[in-house]
Amino acid sequence: MQPLQERHLSASALATYQSCALRFRYRYLDNLYWSQLWGAPPEDRARIERGQNFHLMARRYYAGLDPARVEDAVEQKELESWLTLMQGFMPRTFDQAFYPELELRLNRPDLRLQAKFDLVVVSPDGKATIFDWKTERKLPTRSYLDKAPQTVMYRYMLAAAGGQYSPRGQFKPEEISMIYWNPMHPTRWHRLEYSQARFDKDEQFLRDLVSRIVKTPRDMFLATTDEGTCRRCEFQMICHGKRAEQLDLSDEEELREATLAWDDLPELP
Ligand code: SF4
């Protein structure tokens, strides 16, 4: 396995470290990936799979492909209604560039990061909008979203590493915004604008955090003392000898790329 300083860290990895350094070690150094879905109630599994299917349908729609179909007729109907809402909210047009499931990497010697966006839309005037689809019932507040590591990382990454998708070869922070949209709450969406001042602040924050992580000796990734975090952690059996009481099933990104639930995301200073 690559040394930590050579690996590209995702928003979910950073959020994991912030919530519990030991959990970060288990996942990203010891490579102990225990799926949150193992042992989950059937209704939770179904909900997560529906969210994953919705992401797949959204990806295919913005890529100009026919939407995928699922076997279950009831679920298919619900997914189609979500897709219709999404198409009404952000229709695919020919005057803008659509990049579904765009992946970016930042390759600086002291800052290696990666991000995978649900969708980036770039208009001819160079403005870029990052879309993130959520399908969980719970709606985080705007102030929470503004400080969430996913918001910090995604806007920063598009400005720092997404220049090839800009008609001018570089996105200014002021040209970037991020929208969280949920088909279960289609009118309660949030657009989070960006700025040079916030970019500078985010860069400093990310540098400090990544530097702290890569300098941490292996045996110094310490356990959190927050019992609430442990209760939702898949490694509770290792640390405390019992199964997680409440599995982290509410964050789709984790289930797609191993991240944390909104409840777990620590706020930035
Ligand atoms: S059970 Fe608690 S201490 Fe152990 S890895 Fe999970 S969050 Fe950290």
Tab-separated table of all heavy atoms in Angstrom, residues 19-20 22-23 26 223-224 226 229-230 233-236 239-240, ligand 1:
chain	number	residue	atom	x	y	z
A	19	SER	N	-13.473	12.970	12.886
A	19	SER	CA	-14.425	12.404	13.856
A	19	SER	C	-13.746	11.382	14.760
A	19	SER	O	-14.069	11.279	15.933
A	19	SER	CB	-15.612	11.775	13.145
A	19	SER	OG	-15.230	10.595	12.483
A	20	CYS	N	-12.801	10.613	14.222
A	20	CYS	CA	-12.060	9.643	15.048
A	20	CYS	C	-10.812	9.219	14.277
A	20	CYS	O	-10.909	8.555	13.241
A	20	CYS	CB	-12.906	8.412	15.363
A	20	CYS	SG	-11.971	7.159	16.287
A	22	LEU	N	-8.656	7.031	15.044
A	22	LEU	CA	-8.488	5.574	15.009
A	22	LEU	C	-9.330	4.961	13.883
A	22	LEU	O	-8.892	4.038	13.194
A	22	LEU	CB	-8.896	4.976	16.362
A	22	LEU	CG	-8.724	3.465	16.498
A	22	LEU	CD1	-7.272	3.043	16.258
A	22	LEU	CD2	-9.204	2.988	17.870
A	23	ARG	N	-10.511	5.490	13.695
A	23	ARG	CA	-11.363	5.004	12.609
A	23	ARG	C	-10.679	5.258	11.260
A	23	ARG	O	-10.730	4.433	10.343
A	23	ARG	CB	-12.713	5.730	12.668
A	23	ARG	CG	-13.784	5.121	11.810
A	23	ARG	CD	-15.064	5.941	11.938
A	23	ARG	NE	-16.214	5.256	11.390
A	23	ARG	CZ	-17.422	5.805	11.275
A	23	ARG	NH1	-17.629	7.039	11.691
A	23	ARG	NH2	-18.415	5.138	10.762
A	26	TYR	N	-8.042	2.566	10.867
A	26	TYR	CA	-8.619	1.283	10.477
A	26	TYR	C	-8.985	1.272	8.989
A	26	TYR	O	-8.721	0.308	8.279
A	26	TYR	CB	-9.875	0.994	11.304
A	26	TYR	CG	-9.610	0.571	12.725
A	26	TYR	CD1	-10.553	0.792	13.722
A	26	TYR	CD2	-8.425	-0.054	13.087
A	26	TYR	CE1	-10.335	0.400	15.035
A	26	TYR	CE2	-8.190	-0.445	14.400
A	26	TYR	CZ	-9.148	-0.210	15.365
A	26	TYR	OH	-8.929	-0.603	16.667
A	223	ALA	N	-8.303	6.986	19.565
A	223	ALA	CA	-9.756	6.773	19.579
A	223	ALA	C	-10.473	8.030	20.069
A	223	ALA	O	-9.994	8.717	20.963
A	223	ALA	CB	-10.090	5.594	20.489
A	224	THR	N	-11.612	8.299	19.483
A	224	THR	CA	-12.436	9.403	19.970
A	224	THR	C	-13.005	9.051	21.348
A	224	THR	O	-13.139	7.878	21.699
A	224	THR	CB	-13.605	9.688	19.005
A	224	THR	OG1	-14.355	10.794	19.492
A	224	THR	CG2	-14.545	8.499	18.878
A	226	ASP	N	-15.952	10.416	22.032
A	226	ASP	CA	-17.367	10.724	21.803
A	226	ASP	C	-18.152	9.418	21.616
A	226	ASP	O	-18.030	8.752	20.586
A	226	ASP	CB	-17.498	11.631	20.581
A	226	ASP	CG	-18.951	11.950	20.273
A	226	ASP	OD1	-19.785	11.822	21.186
A	226	ASP	OD2	-19.255	12.303	19.119
A	229	THR	N	-20.292	8.990	18.418
A	229	THR	CA	-19.574	8.593	17.205
A	229	THR	C	-19.352	7.085	17.197
A	229	THR	O	-19.555	6.413	16.181
A	229	THR	CB	-18.219	9.329	17.122
A	229	THR	OG1	-18.474	10.733	17.109
A	229	THR	CG2	-17.438	8.947	15.886
A	230	CYS	N	-18.956	6.543	18.343
A	230	CYS	CA	-18.720	5.090	18.435
A	230	CYS	C	-19.998	4.305	18.164
A	230	CYS	O	-19.962	3.247	17.533
A	230	CYS	CB	-18.173	4.724	19.811
A	230	CYS	SG	-16.528	5.381	20.132
A	233	CYS	N	-20.395	3.618	14.618
A	233	CYS	CA	-19.170	3.206	13.915
A	233	CYS	C	-19.153	1.701	13.661
A	233	CYS	O	-19.462	0.900	14.559
A	233	CYS	CB	-17.951	3.602	14.742
A	233	CYS	SG	-16.398	3.040	14.024
A	234	GLU	N	-18.742	1.330	12.468
A	234	GLU	CA	-18.682	-0.089	12.102
A	234	GLU	C	-17.603	-0.846	12.864
A	234	GLU	O	-17.595	-2.071	12.866
A	234	GLU	CB	-18.467	-0.224	10.589
A	234	GLU	CG	-17.087	0.176	10.065
A	234	GLU	CD	-17.000	1.661	9.707
A	234	GLU	OE1	-17.632	2.484	10.384
A	234	GLU	OE2	-16.255	1.978	8.740
A	235	PHE	N	-16.671	-0.126	13.508
A	235	PHE	CA	-15.575	-0.787	14.227
A	235	PHE	C	-15.840	-0.911	15.724
A	235	PHE	O	-14.935	-1.202	16.495
A	235	PHE	CB	-14.260	-0.033	13.989
A	235	PHE	CG	-13.878	0.036	12.536
A	235	PHE	CD1	-13.748	1.257	11.889
A	235	PHE	CD2	-13.641	-1.123	11.813
A	235	PHE	CE1	-13.402	1.327	10.551
A	235	PHE	CE2	-13.296	-1.058	10.472
A	235	PHE	CZ	-13.175	0.163	9.840
A	236	GLN	N	-17.090	-0.657	16.115
A	236	GLN	CA	-17.371	-0.715	17.543
A	236	GLN	C	-17.087	-2.093	18.129
A	236	GLN	O	-16.721	-2.227	19.282
A	236	GLN	CB	-18.818	-0.284	17.837
A	236	GLN	CG	-18.957	0.098	19.286
A	236	GLN	CD	-20.307	0.625	19.686
A	236	GLN	OE1	-20.371	1.433	20.587
A	236	GLN	NE2	-21.363	0.168	19.063
A	239	CYS	N	-13.414	-2.035	19.033
A	239	CYS	CA	-13.056	-1.127	20.125
A	239	CYS	C	-13.792	-1.439	21.416
A	239	CYS	O	-13.237	-1.331	22.498
A	239	CYS	CB	-13.343	0.318	19.725
A	239	CYS	SG	-12.325	0.892	18.358
A	240	HIS	N	-15.066	-1.793	21.289
A	240	HIS	CA	-15.886	-1.915	22.499
A	240	HIS	C	-16.580	-3.262	22.614
A	240	HIS	O	-17.404	-3.456	23.510
A	240	HIS	CB	-16.941	-0.801	22.533
A	240	HIS	CG	-16.332	0.574	22.465
A	240	HIS	ND1	-15.449	1.044	23.410
A	240	HIS	CD2	-16.472	1.573	21.549
A	240	HIS	CE1	-15.071	2.277	23.080
A	240	HIS	NE2	-15.670	2.616	21.953
B	1	SF4	S1	-15.634	2.539	17.734
B	1	SF4	FE1	-15.254	4.641	18.349
B	1	SF4	S2	-13.088	4.698	18.938
B	1	SF4	FE2	-13.426	2.822	17.732
B	1	SF4	S3	-12.893	3.391	15.640
B	1	SF4	FE3	-15.092	3.646	15.876
B	1	SF4	S4	-15.394	5.792	16.424
B	1	SF4	FE4	-13.242	5.292	16.766
